[in-house]
Amino acid sequence: MKLQRKNMLRASALGALVVSSALVLTACGSDDNTKTDTSASGKPSAATSDVKCDGAKGKLLASGSSAQKNAVDLWIKNYMAACSGVEVNYKSSSSGEGIVAFNQGTVGFAGSDSALKPDAVEESKKVCTGGQGIDLPMVGGPIAIGFNVAGVDKLTLDAPTIAAIFNDKIKKWDDEAIKKLNPGVTLPSTAIQAFHRSEDSGTTENLGKYLKAAAPEAWTYDAAKKWPAPGGQAASGSAGVASQVKAVDGAIGYFELSYASSQSIKTVDVNTGAAAPVKASSENASKAIAAAKIAGTGDDLALKLDYTTKAEGAYPIILVTYEVVCDKGNKPETLATVKSFLNYTASDAGQKALSEIGYAPIPTEINAKVREVIAKLA
């Protein structure tokens, strides 16, 4: 009888826990974004304080870079909480697919991990009547090198070694090149399982830019959205690569830090030649991005990044994602919403939110120029 009563109490407690968990998940995953996000005082919270709806209405479609998905998801949640009746829908696919959609005129803006190429700019003129597509840097952050090696919690690699791993030249985790960079760490003879993106990806291109600049002898491929090296295994999107690394012993892959953080994936510290190896973090990526220079002309704000920095605490494997828009010739029915939404993402509140989820804000001086360009969109 006592045993039966204990089982009944245990079942009751478990049921309460399930109900409680369901309520928490419902609250976190609610699709009701029509209410204004307010603090206990009844005033708009810091997250939505910089949102100005400014005539925004209807539905705005956008697509592209999966690197910025987590940032855009947060921005959309905050924006739609403040602007009742407006719907922003961002399809996370890849930078390449986003640019194609933009140049087909099916989205109001596209997300891309790399600036528009000349042929894409020329193509955009067919959609941007009287204008062309331009790059607005909006999200910065580190490309983390995530790894899953049983028994290894801390790992340091340098550019030549990372290149050799992804180039299928280093095949075991106890390779002498890796051991030399990790004195005191017991490395198993486990086979390396390197994962890369299956589709055209700006994240791939930015990793390629880093390897080409920092290890030109080991990485002889030109930076491109399509994965260039032999060997390895392909997975779709940053989420797909992260999931494979999480699941496979001996795995290594590359993706934005937010994916590593959300799945508790260990990340490589990079030996840049500075006094100490540098961790992948928003703060350390910001130190590297702060040295970026504007390389675009006119209202195009494409950036040139320094992938070979040896500055103390500067994490060199970085990317900046751009929102690609028409400088002129935007569709009248979505122009107000495009400007309103991007004004929020470039605002102090919008940029501050980035560092809270593993991204890095755009340097203040560059971001000021971004705001000026958004104001002129027509």
Side-chain angles (χ1 to χ4, degrees):
M1 188 71 180
K2 288 182 179 180
L3 179 59
Q4 182 181 10
R5 178 171 175 77
K6 284 183 180 179
N7 287 337
M8 289 175 65
L9 288 172
R10 185 178 300 161
S12 177
L14 179 60
L17 178 60
V18 169
V19 171
S20 175
S21 299
L23 289 173
V24 171
L25 289 171
T26 300
C28 293
S30 174
D31 289 325
D32 183 8
N33 293 317
T34 59
K35 297 180 181 179
T36 302
D37 185 9
T38 57
S39 63
S41 66
K43 298 178 181 179
S45 72
T48 60
S49 61
D50 281 0
V51 176
K52 295 179 176 60
C53 301
D54 291 336
K57 60 183 179 181
K59 180 183 290 187
L60 172 62
L61 299 180
S63 70
S65 165
S66 66
Q68 65 173 15
K69 177 186 184 301
N70 294 334
V72 176
D73 283 352
L74 177 61
W75 281 334
I76 288 174
K77 176 186 175 184
N78 292 341
Y79 179 79
M80 289 175 56
C83 296
S84 179
V86 181
E87 181 182 347
V88 182
N89 188 316
Y90 182 79
K91 179 184 176 184
S92 170
S93 50
S94 69
S95 298
E97 292 175 67
I99 297 304
V100 169
F102 177 76
N103 281 339
Q104 290 176 340
T106 59
V107 295
F109 70 88
S112 178
D113 307 355
S114 55
L116 290 167
K117 299 290 189 293
D119 59 340
V121 173
E122 195 62 32
E123 185 73 15
S124 72
K125 293 177 181 178
K126 299 176 183 177
V127 175
C128 305
T129 307
Q132 65 179 47
I134 57 172
D135 304 286
L136 301 179
M138 202 68 72
V139 180
I143 299 174
I145 306 296
F147 70 96
N148 177 6
V149 183
V152 179
D153 294 322
K154 185 176 177 59
L155 185 69
T156 297
L157 299 174
D158 59 11
T161 310
I162 294 171
I165 287 172
F166 282 108
N167 201 16
D168 205 31
K169 300 295 185 185
I170 293 179
K171 300 177 182 293
K172 299 281 189 179
W173 279 109
D174 61 351
D175 188 276
E176 287 302 319
I178 300 177
K179 289 167 71 173
K180 185 177 179 180
L181 290 163
N182 294 274
V185 176
T186 302
L187 294 161
S189 60
T190 307
I192 293 175
Q193 307 284 340
F195 288 91
H196 58 263
R197 292 282 289 273
S198 59
E199 71 287 0
D200 286 2
S201 161
T203 311
T204 295
E205 184 172 10
N206 280 279
L207 175 65
K209 288 178 180 177
Y210 162 72
L211 294 175
K212 182 74 171 177
E217 294 182 1
W219 193 260
T220 58
Y221 312 99
D222 291 332
K225 289 185 172 70
K226 184 176 181 62
W227 182 255
Q233 302 174 62
S236 177
S238 292
V241 175
S243 294
Q244 290 297 322
V245 172
K246 176 77 172 178
V248 178
D249 183 28
I252 187 169
Y254 59 94
F255 32 79
E256 294 66 43
L257 182 61
S258 60
Y259 290 92
S261 301
S262 64
Q263 297 193 47
S264 300
I265 297 172
K266 296 184 285 287
T267 60
V268 167
D269 296 346
V270 177
N271 183 336
T272 64
V278 186
K279 294 184 178 298
S281 73
S282 298
E283 180 183 359
N284 292 343
S286 292
K287 292 176 182 177
I289 294 172
K293 305 294 183 186
I294 295 177
T297 58
D299 287 336
D300 187 279
L301 302 179
L303 301 180
K304 181 175 178 56
L305 303 174
D306 181 7
Y307 296 101
T308 61
T309 179
K310 292 180 174 58
E312 297 299 327
Y315 184 82
I317 317 177
I318 50 177
L319 61 74
V320 168
T321 65
Y322 301 93
E323 310 316 328
V324 176
V325 294
C326 295
D327 56 357
K328 297 175 184 176
N330 288 279
K331 292 181 179 178
E333 61 269 27
T334 57
L335 176 59
T337 307
V338 168
K339 293 177 72 170
S340 170
F341 180 69
L342 295 183
N343 269 323
Y344 167 60
T345 65
S347 70
D348 290 339
Q351 288 292 300
K352 182 180 179 182
L354 293 177
S355 58
E356 299 168 3
I357 54 172
Y359 294 98
I362 298 301
T364 303
E365 184 177 332
I366 295 172
N367 193 47
K369 291 182 169 38
V370 172
R371 296 183 196 181
E372 291 174 7
V373 173
I374 293 171
K376 295 191 295 180
L377 297 179

